[in-house]
């Protein structure tokens, strides 16, 4: 007679060493785990709610300036260092981890109009209302030493902005014209002009480093080529562009912050119409900065809020505001893609999380897996109305809310009027113009 | 004319060769002049210089002559003859061909041209990033910062070239290796190894191994099958098998005769030989020990008699001459078989009409409609599979065998089949069904309902809650209502219901019924209303006629009753069902014909929570479908979201779960991988040509594709590989 007994291979359930993970046999038979969609839906709903619960983006406020913060610069080598220039000519260097000012220097008489760091991070440049360009060392003088710039260049006109080349010892200033300077010389290598109007900002392309973009007060954006020392093309918009920023991952894409509450993302090869119009601000947009991944950007506005836009979306995914934050003049996205800094009128620099509900600090692998899963679930069920409703919900100050409502009404009225006009005019006499083309006045070769 | 004149007048000047004929010439010209004046034309006089002038011409030309302009060909005409002026003439021609130099461009214009050229050049240079950008946008995952040390397995040769023995142990090992002529660097194989490699390639070996494996497996299958078949004790089975085999041999022989006559001949000889042997032997002649014992039994036992007969038949068959018609023989065999079909027929009546797999059911359970509706018997689900496995060749024998086996199975498992009981149950069920049809049919007489009614209610009542019972009452009421009963009886029944005391729930639906009838009655009145204007009497009559015709045509179907029935059905379907968790045999006796006690049934019958009232509760002529759950609708997507084209696509994306409950660890990790991965505390630099290099081994993971026209960059990437130690 044969006796049958249960026998198992010990290899299946015994660990080789004590450090090994315990084997947990798991049956993936779908019949044993029914209702997968409803269960995942509930998980997604909970994840979305928790995300909103944990969305506390505000981290710190750096105060110390005695006038509105006019400009900021990131340190290219150190994530914890940030520089800021105020309207009273004072420049401060901050340590973000300690959240304190580590150095203060009186750089200019009047406004500090622009500030930029050298690519190596050892020195920085400032321009001010006193028609000077100053070159400073990053490290302060020794004890008792006096704060003195390395070089000072005295110009003929006021400089309104400055930017440093990403790889070479060359920087560009703007004012009445765009000047390109060698660090060692006191006169510009070349001056690029096209028309006569004051230029408010100039930016080097971080990828194709010989390219420059500038925006002038006669409503246009001009592109320059440093090697050929010539302007390339000019696009004239409805209203003035305050500043622009190049995408650090996509060489030909830049975004401009406009006075007409919108941001325009352009492909420099096709300036006839913007790639995307980003609508959400309710007042002039004053500054814009790309995230280092090139997937999103942050914009600062006169409406006392900052917003985060995905590059390929027309509406913002996030809006940050606090009661005490006034007109935000400058904004920066740190190089580790984690934080956002904004400087505003009321003399403070604020530090925000780029992802409002992100947990800072070290994550245990299981925790990270859970986060990733939640993220994926939110993405999967993002179109479901309840989840969408919760995920989209934001609190806005009353001013912005009512202003947005008003703008919506205005837009609708304009649309209706156009429709009516079209209805009562000869067919074909009032053509349809796409929203993207509406805001472009002309492209000048 | 003028030209002509000039030509003529020039002639004397150019004709310097013959000076002697001067007078004659002059005279000739005068004559010509005279002739021309005669013709009445005014002849233009050649101006003659009379006083000193600034405009002194060599050829006696002056500007005064009627303001005419000099034309170059006229001048050229004069130098035609002289070869010395050829160069001048050529120069003049060249001058004539050249165009004037255009004005230089204005400053703005020239700047614009420069700008345009520069712009085109720059945008072309920037466009080389196009591929990289597109790829990064489409990438499943991007890992930042882009510049990361790439792990790579260095080939062993490379490692060994940079290797230096330092410790004595290493030196010892190397000396050993050198002694055995172990090649240290390329090609890393001893001659022996190479030879062995050459002897049989890997693929060849694998192929051979696979073949062997297959052969072995086939053999084992075959053996197993043979063993299984051998174990079957049934003689009938083996007999049938034998018959099949012989028939197959015959068929084979037929085929062989057609294809290969010689082989067939040898086979024939063999058969002949076997016949001879058979004739010689005493086999199959009922002379053996076994046959004798059978012969004793044969008197009483039919089986034994049959077996003996078979033996004899076999003998006859074997001793028959072979080359006779095989087909006829076959037919004879089939006819003579008799035995097997008989046996089939014997068994079949018991299974006739009903599903043979339901045989094991006790008759009491068969009455229970709920149980009877559940046909999933494990045996049934197994049997077709077996059939599928074995039935490869669908021949008669196969089918017979299968039948046989199945029957054997049923016999074993059912123990004592109750064909009659099953048949009864079946009949009963059919009857009930039929009855229900009859009852719901309005045209059929009622009296049959009396005795059969309780049967029906019993069937339903077993699973029913009070609500269900209510619904049942409704049904009866509705049927009653269809009959043209006087209202008095209705009221009576109502009173009875109210007198019941506890049956307050029953009252409401009855009232509803009254309302219904009121509505119906009203409708019919409207149709038959005769109050019509006289002027349209004829038309009206016609219309009435038509209506009558239609009514006659559709006399059979009662639409209203149909509707009511439908509504009732919908109401029933919408009601939550009770759950019956009664398990027979737990805590009490179980077995066929035994029912669980009422106490137990009461205990394990889970009553449903009554749902919200129907929306068409008070609307007798409307069915409002409550299939759509409003509460759930708030959670549902009501239109296909943007990136999806079709509903199915979207549904598919939702249907696939991503959680670790449904996916393996690895799949889960893959499914939930983030789109953008950054490392805390790392600075992300802007993309550069090196990042977008073709070296990146994982194009989907790493942000970067090849930049097409940058040969100088590619040189950068050939840095020495990391050594794997």
């Amino acid at each position: 007679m044969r006796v049958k007994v249960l026998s198992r291979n010990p290899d299946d359930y015994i660990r080789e060493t004590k450090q090994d993970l315990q084997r947990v046999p798991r049956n993936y038979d779908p019949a044993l785990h029914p209702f997968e969609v409803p269960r995942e839906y509930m998980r997604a709903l909970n994840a979305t709610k928790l995300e909103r619960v944990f969305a506390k983006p505000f981290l710190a406020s750096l105060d110390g300036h005695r006038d509105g913060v006019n400009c900021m610069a990131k340190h290219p080598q150190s994530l914890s260092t940030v520089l800021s220039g105020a309207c009273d000519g004072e420049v401060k260097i901050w340590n973000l981890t300690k959240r304190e000012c580590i150095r203060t220097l009186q750089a200019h008489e009047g406004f500090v109009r622009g500030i930029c760091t050298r690519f190596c991070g050892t020195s920085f440049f400032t321009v001010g209302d006193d028609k000077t360009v100053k070159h400073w060392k990053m490290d302060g003088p020794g004890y008792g030493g006096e704060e003195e710039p390395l070089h000072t260049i005295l110009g003929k006109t006021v400089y309104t902005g400055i930017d440093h080349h990403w790889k070479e010892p060359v920087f560009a200033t703007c004012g009445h014209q765009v000047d390109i300077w060698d660090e060692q010389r006191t006169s510009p290598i070349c001056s690029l002009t096209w028309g006569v109007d004051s230029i408010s900002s100039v930016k080097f392309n971080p990828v194709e480093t010989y390219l420059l973009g500038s925006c002038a007060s006669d409503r246009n954006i001009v592109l320059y080529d440093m090697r050929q020392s010539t302007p390339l093309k000019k696009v004239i918009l409805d209203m003035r562009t305050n500043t622009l920023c190049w995408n650090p991952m996509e060489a030909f894409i830049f975004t401009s912050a406009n006075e007409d509450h919108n941001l325009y993302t352009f492909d420099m090869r096709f300036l006839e119409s913007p790639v995307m119009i980003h609508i959400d601000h309710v007042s002039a947009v004053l500054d814009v900065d790309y995230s280092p991944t090139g997937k999103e950007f942050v914009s600062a506005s006169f409406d006392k809020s900052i917003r985060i836009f995905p590059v390929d979306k027309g509406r913002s995914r996030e809006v940050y505001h606090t009661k005490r934050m006034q007109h935000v003049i400058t904004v920066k996205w740190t190089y580790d893609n984690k934080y956002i800094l904004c400087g505003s009128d009321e003399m403070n620099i604020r530090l925000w999380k780029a992802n409002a509900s992100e947990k800072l600090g070290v994550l245990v692998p299981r925790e990270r897996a859970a986060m990733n899963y939640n993220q994926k679930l939110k993405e999967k069920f993002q179109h479901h109305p309840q989840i969408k409703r919760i995920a989209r919900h934001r609190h806005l100050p009353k001013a912005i809310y009512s202003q947005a409502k008003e703008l919506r009404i205005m837009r609708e009225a304009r649309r209706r009027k156009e429709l009516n006009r079209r209805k009562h005019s000869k067919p074909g006499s009032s053509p349809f113009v796409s929203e993207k083309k509406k805001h472009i006045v002309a492209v000048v070769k | 004319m003028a030209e002509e004149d000039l030509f003529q007048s020039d002639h004397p000047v150019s004709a310097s060769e013959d000076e002697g004929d001067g007078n004659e010439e002059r005279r000739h010209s005068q004559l010509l002049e005279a002739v021309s004046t005669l013709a009445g034309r005014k002849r233009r006089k050649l101006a003659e210089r009379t006083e000193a002038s600034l405009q002194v011409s060599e050829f006696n030309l002056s500007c005064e002559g009627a303001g005419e302009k000099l034309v170059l060909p006229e001048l050229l005409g004069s130098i035609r003859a002289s070869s010395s002026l050829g160069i001048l003439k050529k120069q003049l021609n060249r001058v004539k061909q050249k165009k004037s130099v255009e004005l230089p461009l204005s400053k703005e214009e020239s700047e614009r041209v420069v700008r345009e050229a520069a712009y085109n050049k720059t945008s072309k240079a920037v466009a080389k990033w196009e591929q990289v950008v597109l790829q990064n946008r489409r990438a499943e995952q991007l890992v930042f910062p882009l510049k990361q040390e790439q792990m790579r397995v260095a080939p062993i040769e490379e490692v060994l070239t940079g290797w230096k023995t330092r410790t004595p142990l290493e030196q010892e090992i190397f000396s050993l290796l050198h002694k055995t002529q172990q090649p240290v660097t390329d090609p890393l194989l001893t001659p022996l190894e190479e030879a062995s490699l050459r002897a049989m390639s890997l693929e060849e070996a694998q192929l051979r191994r696979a073949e062997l494996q297959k052969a072995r497996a086939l053999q084992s299958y075959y053996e197993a099958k043979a063993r299984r078949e051998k174990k079957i004790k049934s003689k009938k089975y083996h007999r049938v098998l034998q018959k099949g085999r012989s028939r197959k041999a015959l068929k084979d022989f037929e085929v062989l005769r057609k294809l290969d006559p010689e082989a067939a001949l040898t086979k024939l000889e063999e058969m002949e030989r076997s016949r001879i042997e058979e004739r010689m032997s005493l086999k199959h002649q009922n002379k053996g020990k076994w046959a004798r014992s059978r012969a004793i039994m044969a008197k009483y036992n039919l089986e034994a008699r049959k077996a003996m007969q078979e033996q004899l038949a076999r003998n006859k068959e074997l001793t028959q001459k072979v080359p006779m018609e095989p087909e006829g023989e076959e037919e004879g065999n089939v006819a003579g078989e008799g035995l097997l079909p008989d046996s089939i027929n014997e068994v079949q009546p018991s299974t006739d009409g009903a599903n043979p797999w339901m045989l094991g059911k006790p008759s009491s359970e068969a009455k229970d409609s709920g149980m009877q509706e559940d046909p999933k018997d494990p045996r049934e689900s197994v049997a077709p599979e077996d059939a599928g496995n074995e039935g490869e060749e669908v021949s008669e024998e196969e089918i017979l065998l299968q039948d046989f086996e199945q029957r054997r199975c049923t016999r074993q498992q059912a123990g004592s089949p109750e064909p009659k009981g099953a048949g009864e149950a079946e009949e009963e069920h059919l009857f009930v069904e039929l009855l229900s049809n009859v009852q719901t049919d309005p045209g059929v007489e009622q009296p049959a309902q009396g005795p059969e009614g309780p049967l029906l209610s019993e069937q339903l009542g077993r699973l029913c809650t009070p609500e269900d019972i209510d619904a049942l009452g409704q049904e009866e009421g509705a049927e009653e209502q269809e009959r043209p009963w006087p209202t008095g009886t209705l009221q009576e029944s109502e009173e009875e219901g109210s007198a019941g005391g506890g049956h307050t729930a029953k009252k409401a639906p009855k009232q509803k019924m009254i309302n219904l009838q009121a509505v119906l009655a009203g409708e019919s009145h409207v149709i038959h209303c005769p109050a019509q204007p006289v002027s349209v009497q004829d038309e009206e009559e016609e219309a009435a006629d038509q209506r009558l015709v239609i009514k006659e045509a559709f006399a059979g179907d009662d639409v209203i009753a149909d509707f009511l029935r439908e509504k009732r059905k919908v109401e029933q379907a919408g009601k939550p069902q009770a759950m019956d968790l009664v398990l027979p045999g737990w805590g009490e006796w179980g077995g066929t014909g035994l029912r669980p006690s009422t106490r137990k049934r009461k205990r394990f019958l889970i009553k449903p929570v009554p749902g919200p009232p129907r929306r068409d509760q008070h609307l007798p002529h409307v069915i409002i479908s409550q299939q759509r759950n409003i509460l759930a609708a708030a959670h549902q997507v009501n239109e296909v979201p943007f990136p999806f084209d079709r509903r199915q696509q979207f549904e598919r994306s939702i249907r696939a779960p991503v959680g670790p409950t449904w996916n393996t660890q690895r799949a889960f990790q893959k499914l939930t991988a983030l789109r953008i991965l950054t490392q805390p505390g790392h600075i992300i630099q802007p993309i550069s040509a090196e990042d977008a290099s073709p070296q990146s081994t994982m194009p989907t993971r790493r942000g970067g594709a090849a930049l097409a026209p940058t040969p100088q960059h590619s040189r950068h990437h050939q840095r020495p590989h990391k050594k794997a130690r």
Side-chain angles (χ1 to χ4, degrees), chain B residues 25 44 59 61 110 122 264 274 322 354 372 455 474 476 707:
Chain B
E25 288 293 315
R44 176 173 46 92
F59 301 106
L61 293 168
S110 63
T122 313
S274 75
V322 183
Q372 207 169 20
L455 197 81
Q474 251 181 56
E476 279 166 23
L707 275 184

Side-chain angles (χ1 to χ4, degrees), chain B residues 169-203:
Chain B
L169 178 68
E170 281 172 1
Q171 278 166 0
E172 205 174 313
I173 289 167
F174 261 72
S175 66
L176 265 175
L177 281 174
H178 283 298
K179 230 179 261 173
T180 53
Q181 289 175 333
Q182 188 77 20
V184 178
T185 55
D186 216 25
L188 271 178
L189 290 172
T190 56
L192 250 174
E193 282 172 334
E194 276 185 355
S196 69
L197 263 185
R198 242 180 282 122
M200 189 188 284
S201 70
L202 184 64
E203 288 99 45

Side-chain angles (χ1 to χ4, degrees), chain A residues 107-170:
Chain A
H108 295 278
E109 309 272 328
F111 279 47
V112 180
R113 287 287 171 190
I115 186 167
C116 71
T117 50
R118 204 172 180 272
F119 56 89
C120 60
T122 53
S123 59
F124 63 93
F125 297 82
T126 55
V127 289
D129 271 356
D130 53 0
K131 302 182 188 174
T132 52
V133 179
K134 287 184 180 173
H135 186 190
W136 304 84
K137 277 191 80 152
M138 193 63 83
D139 309 320
Y143 182 74
E146 220 171 286
E147 291 278 13
E148 285 220 331
L150 287 173
H151 308 288
T152 307
I153 301 165
L154 202 61
K156 285 181 198 121
T157 55
V158 175
Y159 298 107
T160 52
I162 188 168
D163 195 25
H164 201 281
H165 194 277
W166 286 79
K167 279 167 187 160
E168 288 161 29
V170 170

Side-chain angles (χ1 to χ4, degrees), chain A residues 79-94:
Chain A
L79 284 171
S80 61
T81 311
V82 70
L83 301 91
S84 64
C87 294
D88 58 351
E90 207 175 50
V91 169
K92 276 180 182 284
I93 304 177
W94 304 87

